[in-house]
Amino acid sequence: MIYIDRGTIPYCYIEEKKFEWGEPYEIITPIFNLCINPDLSDIEFTIEVLGQNNFKDNLEKLFNILINREEHYRIESLTASIEKRDYLLNLIEGFINSNTSNASPWTFYREPFTEKDYLESIEKDLNRKLLFDRKEYL
């Protein structure tokens, strides 16, 4: 059976299958919203990708990076200076608030893939660098 799960943000394409011995399993594929204005600056584009696709952890990290003015130390692909910091912080905060009660598929389904894995996949598909903290902290 194949269906779209609309209980998560982003929605997921779910394909139910069975192993040869009959045990069922599901293939879960998030359906990312990437209809974002390509003319936005890299930081605005990244915020839109993160916010529209419920990347909560990375939104919160980016918010803290911008608040603490650590962008040039923690975001390796950032080449431009941040000019509209208050606007960007308000944009991030709006997405954080709107996603508070939304479940992400990677947590709801306990997927082995992380937000970072999905973001790197999106970068590859779009052929555009996203500005997020790539360091793994223990």
Side-chain angles (χ1 to χ4, degrees):
M1 179 155 103
I2 298 173
Y3 64 97
I4 304 293
D5 178 3
R6 289 178 169 80
T8 62
I9 302 292
Y11 296 160
C12 285
Y13 176 84
I14 309 286
E15 188 174 359
E16 294 177 349
K17 293 189 169 198
K18 290 188 179 188
F19 290 107
E20 295 169 0
W21 57 89
E23 183 180 347
Y25 69 96
E26 295 177 326
I27 298 175
I28 299 155
T29 307
I31 305 168
F32 294 110
N33 177 1
L34 300 176
C35 295
I36 298 165
N37 181 353
D39 295 330
L40 291 173
S41 69
D42 289 340
I43 190 77
E44 289 173 302
F45 187 85
T46 298
I47 292 167
E48 289 288 330
V49 169
L50 296 176
Q52 291 187 30
N53 293 289
N54 200 16
F55 287 103
K56 292 177 188 169
D57 292 343
N58 278 280
L59 272 173
E60 290 173 359
K61 280 184 190 179
L62 189 55
F63 185 83
N64 287 330
I65 287 168
L66 292 176
I67 282 279
N68 294 322
R69 298 178 182 271
E70 297 174 340
E71 58 270 8
H72 292 291
Y73 304 108
R74 294 188 46 198
I75 301 175
E76 65 188 46
S77 303
L78 182 66
T79 56
S81 62
I82 302 296
E83 298 192 12
K84 303 182 284 184
R85 190 174 306 272
D86 288 337
Y87 167 75
L88 297 173
L89 290 169
N90 287 331
L91 186 60
I92 294 170
E93 196 168 36
F95 280 125
I96 289 172
N97 292 337
S98 68
N99 283 318
T100 299
S101 61
N102 296 333
S104 60
W106 40 91
T107 55
F108 184 79
Y109 288 107
R110 296 188 178 107
E111 284 290 297
F113 304 108
T114 65
E115 284 190 13
K116 180 182 174 192
D117 297 323
Y118 286 117
L119 287 170
E120 289 173 350
S121 173
I122 288 170
E123 278 183 324
K124 188 175 179 182
D125 290 345
L126 294 176
N127 195 27
R128 183 171 180 171
K129 277 285 191 196
L130 298 175
L131 304 177
F132 62 95
D133 187 3
R134 295 170 192 274
K135 296 180 180 103
E136 297 291 327
Y137 297 100
L138 300 175

